[in-house]
């Protein structure tokens, strides 16, 4: 069943350190996305490893009704680090759970039932979050879902969004930068317009920061770069350096009216310890600042390449390179010929989501690799 969720790659990974993964045969690969943005502090950051080992020696699990110091610390830390006005924290095990909770909280805290989501969006694989996900290939095998309660609008079209949000709307859910949909940052003014129309209709504004959060875009949260604060913010992936955790952060008015919700492993001690160490490293080492600096350098170098590239877009170390041939072929050649691992975002976008400890020399390596892989090849002579 190993290929049930993911197609298995022909590279067996044995260990990792910083921005590098090492295969069982000793080959080293530069990780530019193979870990789905889950390793902001790099692979096996020593402080994170120490925190996990110390907690494992004391307590692996106790159900959430009993206070545990690592969980208590994490609640306080996330409340402090969240954008202003968001202080309530619900912990879970993944991004899709965080978004599922966000949709439930929004519906129980408002008088609405409709959810407005964006075309190209990806919010998860539960019945609720999958309903708010755009691409048919993810949804079709499981239909019917909750389509009657979802209205999709064109991402970036302010007029269409404003027209869709009405008194029946419980929530608008948006990614500040669409990830799976092809690395599309929100156009200027779009998130501000979302904030205005949701406030006017007492609708909850949800920002899905599962992929954009924890410093990836050059700010701790991508929404901070736009100057817009939502009512609910969801995060996961990098929050615990790859251990399974998600979080739903809410304003008071949402938290106070949210209906009953729970999760057996919510904020378990071991993963909470990893998350505390991860957030400390992200802040103390200014990894958002490094993401902004190295990400800006990388985008400039990619944009300057004289090879067939349609577009380079993104923020910080969340970058999409739209190529003129299939992204999967490019990714195959990067891995086999240059030992660089990356991800697709649709058929034609190479998605770069490296650890935030990345250095310029790593960026240069990837630029050189892409230049070679994308360079027009001379026709073979007969």
């Amino acid at each position: 069943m190993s290929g049930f969720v993911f197609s298995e790659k022909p590279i067996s990974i044995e260990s990792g350190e910083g921005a590098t993964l090492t295969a069982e045969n000793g080959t080293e690969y530069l990780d530019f996305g193979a870990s789905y943005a889950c390793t902001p502090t790099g692979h096996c950051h020593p402080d994170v490893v120490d925190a996990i080992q110390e907690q494992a020696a004391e307590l692996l699990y106790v159900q959430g009704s009993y206070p545990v110091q690592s969980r208590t610390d994490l609640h306080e830390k996330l409340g402090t680090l969240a954008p202003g006005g968001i202080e309530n924290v619900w912990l879970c095990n993944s991004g899709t759970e965080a978004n599922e909770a966000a949709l439930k909280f929004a519906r129980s805290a408002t008088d609405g039932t409709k959810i407005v989501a964006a075309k190209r969006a990806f919010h998860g694989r539960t019945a609720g979050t999958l309903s708010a996900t755009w691409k048919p290939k993810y949804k079709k095998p499981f239909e019917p879902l909750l389509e009657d309660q979802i209205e999709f609008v064109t991402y970036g079209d302010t007029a269409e969004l404003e027209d869709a949000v009405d008194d029946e709307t419980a929530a608008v859910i948006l990614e500040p930068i669409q990830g799976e949909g092809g690395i599309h940052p929100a156009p200027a003014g779009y998130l501000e317009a979302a904030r205005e129309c949701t406030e006017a209709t007492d609708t909850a504004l949800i920002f899905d920061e599962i992929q954009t959060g924890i410093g990836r875009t050059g700010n701790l949260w991508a929404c901070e770069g736009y100057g817009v604060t939502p009512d609910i913010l969801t995060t996961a992936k990098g929050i615990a350096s790859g251990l399974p955790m998600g979080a739903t952060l809410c304003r008071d008015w949402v938290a106070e009216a949210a209906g009953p919700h729970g999760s057996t492993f919510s904020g378990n001690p071991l993963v909470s310890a990893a998350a505390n160490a991860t957030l400390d490293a992200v802040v103390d080492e200014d990894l958002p600042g490094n993401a902004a600096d190295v990400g800006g350098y990388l985008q400039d170098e990619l944009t300057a390449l004289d090879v067939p590239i349609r577009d380079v877009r993104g923020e910080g170390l969340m970058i999409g390179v739209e190529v003129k041939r299939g992204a999967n072929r490019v990714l195959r050649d990067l891995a086999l010929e240059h030992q660089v691992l990356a991800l697709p975002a649709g058929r034609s976008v190479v998605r770069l989501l490296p650890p935030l400890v990345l250095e310029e020399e790593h960026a240069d390596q990837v630029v050189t690799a892409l230049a070679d892989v994308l360079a027009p090849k001379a026709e073979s002579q007969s």
Side-chain angles (χ1 to χ4, degrees):
M1 296 290 285
S2 61
F4 187 67
V5 177
F6 298 105
S7 57
E8 192 168 89
K9 303 294 190 292
I11 301 170
S12 182
I13 301 299
E14 184 175 65
S15 63
E17 181 178 2
T20 302
L21 289 167
T22 302
E24 285 185 348
N25 64 4
T27 302
E28 292 188 347
Y29 292 87
L30 191 56
D31 183 2
F32 257 69
S35 300
Y36 285 94
C38 290
T39 55
T41 61
H43 294 283
C44 296
H45 189 290
D47 292 349
V48 178
V49 172
D50 286 348
I52 292 170
Q53 291 175 336
E54 290 174 9
Q55 183 62 56
E58 295 178 356
L59 180 67
L60 286 174
Y61 176 75
V62 66
Q63 63 113 327
S65 298
Y66 299 97
V68 174
Q69 194 61 50
S70 61
R71 184 191 305 122
T72 300
D73 290 345
L74 182 57
H75 276 115
E76 294 176 355
K77 191 166 295 181
L78 279 171
T80 299
L81 294 176
I86 300 179
E87 298 179 351
N88 303 280
V89 178
W90 183 77
L91 300 172
C92 56
N93 309 289
S94 66
T96 192
E97 285 184 66
N99 282 337
E100 185 80 9
L103 296 175
K104 291 174 69 175
F105 294 168
R107 291 189 65 175
S108 60
T110 69
D111 293 328
T113 56
K114 182 174 72 173
I115 305 296
V116 175
K119 297 175 182 178
R120 296 195 307 246
F122 181 89
H123 296 298
R125 299 176 188 271
T126 56
T129 59
L130 192 57
S131 299
T133 291
W134 170 251
K135 191 175 287 187
K137 82 168 188 175
Y138 295 121
K139 301 164 67 167
K140 193 170 183 59
F142 307 106
E143 292 176 339
L145 294 165
L146 308 177
E147 292 91 343
D148 293 344
Q149 299 165 24
I150 308 291
E151 181 173 348
F152 287 101
V153 296
T154 303
Y155 189 78
D157 188 323
T158 297
E160 191 174 338
L161 175 64
E162 292 173 341
D163 187 58
V165 178
D166 54 31
D167 292 338
E168 300 300 317
T169 308
V172 172
I173 183 168
L174 298 170
E175 300 160 88
I177 300 175
Q178 291 190 316
E180 184 76 16
I183 312 297
H184 294 280
Y190 184 63
L191 299 184
E192 292 91 330
R195 178 69 285 177
E196 291 174 5
C197 68
T198 51
E199 286 182 342
T201 55
D202 294 325
T203 296
L205 177 61
I206 303 170
F207 283 166
D208 175 345
E209 295 233 24
I210 305 302
Q211 196 166 133
T212 59
I214 320 298
R216 178 148 301 278
T217 66
N219 292 285
L220 190 60
W221 311 106
C223 65
E224 293 175 323
Y226 293 91
V228 181
T229 302
D231 301 298
I232 306 173
L233 184 149
T234 59
T235 183
K237 292 195 182 294
I239 192 173
S241 290
L243 270 65
M245 174 171 276
T248 305
L249 315 179
C250 307
R251 290 183 185 269
D252 286 345
W253 74 267
V254 175
E256 290 166 359
H261 189 64
S263 169
T264 298
F265 296 108
S266 173
N268 81 75
L270 186 69
V271 184
S272 292
N276 279 312
T278 298
L279 292 171
D280 285 344
V282 167
V283 173
D284 294 345
E285 298 174 22
D286 190 21
L287 295 188
N290 190 65
D293 293 342
V294 180
Y297 172 79
L298 177 56
Q299 286 201 55
D300 288 344
E301 294 297 303
L302 290 169
T303 301
L305 283 178
D306 186 21
V307 293
I309 291 177
R310 289 194 176 98
D311 194 17
V312 178
R313 54 183 179 260
E315 296 286 344
L317 286 172
M318 182 176 181
I319 299 172
V321 181
E322 188 170 353
V323 297
K324 292 185 178 181
R325 63 186 179 100
N328 283 326
R329 290 176 56 195
V330 173
L331 294 169
R332 178 200 63 195
D333 293 345
L334 284 173
L336 296 179
E337 298 174 15
H338 296 277
Q339 293 72 56
V340 172
L341 304 179
L343 295 165
R347 294 182 178 179
S348 62
V349 176
V350 174
R351 179 171 27 166
L352 306 178
L353 300 170
L356 306 187
V357 297
L358 201 75
E359 299 175 5
E360 285 191 2
E361 63 184 71
H362 299 131
D364 290 336
Q365 183 177 336
V366 168
V367 171
T368 299
L370 274 168
D372 180 69
V373 168
L374 295 175
K377 301 297 189 288
E379 295 289 338
S380 59
Q381 301 296 318
S382 57

